[in-house]
Amino acid sequence: MKKTLVIFIAVLLIFTLAPSIYAEAAYGPGSAVISISSADNIKPGEEFTLTAAISGDYQIHVAHISFQYDVNTLEIVSGTANGDFTSAVSSSGGLAMIEFYALADQGRIKVGLAMTNDAFTGDYEMFDVTFRAKECIAASTQITVEVIQFGYMPLGTTTATTVQSSVINGEVTFTAPAPGDTTPTPTDAGGEEPTPTPGTIIVTPV
């Protein structure tokens, strides 16, 4: 009976302590919030700009983040990486990539980050993206943020430990133009809509 009681207590201690031990080892340091802003009362054909940002006390060496938008309601016009963000990455010996156009047919903007030595951290606006609302639109649409990889991987380790993150999606609400009010579609000198040149913004270490 005494032996059974000892075994029972030992097992109970293991199950009591295991969750706290696992919680300490399960995630990398800190946490982050990744967001994209919203816009209201957008008319068909109107252009507007949203800003993607990251904040928190996180420490990461690798990140892969996707921003998804509905190609039936929005088309991308242009994208610009934020200088403070890219400078912070490159000055720490890292590499940042923001892809605006390659996956435009799928409605995706991709952000990738890789640090060679020091972990990356801080509150930054990552990029601005300008969209044009299409003519056939719903009452609203979302730009959703998906964190595919967000990891802590210091020198000497072979796998990245996931750092906790949460997201704030953006929402665009539309409004019908007033009678007789039309928003002209921008055209180039030849009378055709300009097409953004496919490209990737890559920031390399300095």
Side-chain angles (χ1 to χ4, degrees), residues 42-48 68-77 104-105 107 131-143 170-174:
I42 302 299
K43 297 181 177 66
E46 183 178 352
E47 294 183 5
F48 59 96
Q68 177 80 44
Y69 58 93
D70 182 5
V71 297
N72 294 315
T73 57
L74 301 176
E75 60 179 326
I76 190 168
V77 176
D105 59 334
F131 291 104
R132 181 184 299 119
K134 292 188 175 181
E135 295 296 329
C136 298
I137 56 177
S140 66
T141 188
Q142 277 201 334
I143 294 89
E171 184 174 19
V172 180
T173 61
F174 302 106

Side-chain angles (χ1 to χ4, degrees), residues 143-182:
I143 294 89
T144 57
V145 184
E146 180 186 4
V147 180
I148 300 168
Q149 186 177 22
F150 201 71
Y152 179 73
M153 191 177 177
L155 288 174
T157 59
T158 57
T159 57
T161 302
T162 298
V163 175
Q164 290 182 303
S165 62
S166 58
V167 304
I168 299 176
N169 297 326
E171 184 174 19
V172 180
T173 61
F174 302 106
T175 183
D181 179 19
T182 59

Side-chain angles (χ1 to χ4, degrees), residues 58-141:
Y58 63 94
Q59 295 182 45
I60 59 168
H61 293 86
V62 59
H64 183 192
I65 306 166
S66 174
F67 297 81
Q68 177 80 44
Y69 58 93
D70 182 5
V71 297
N72 294 315
T73 57
L74 301 176
E75 60 179 326
I76 190 168
V77 176
S78 63
T80 305
N82 182 276
D84 290 341
F85 170 68
T86 56
S87 294
V89 173
S90 60
S91 64
S92 298
L95 172 69
M97 182 183 75
I98 304 177
E99 179 55 76
F100 292 102
Y101 304 123
L103 299 175
D105 59 334
Q106 301 175 25
R108 286 187 182 273
I109 299 169
K110 295 279 191 173
V111 175
L113 184 147
M115 308 299 294
T116 54
N117 294 306
D118 297 335
F120 181 75
T121 188
D123 298 346
Y124 294 98
E125 293 181 350
M126 294 186 290
F127 65 82
D128 293 326
V129 58
T130 298
F131 291 104
R132 181 184 299 119
K134 292 188 175 181
E135 295 296 329
C136 298
I137 56 177
S140 66
T141 188

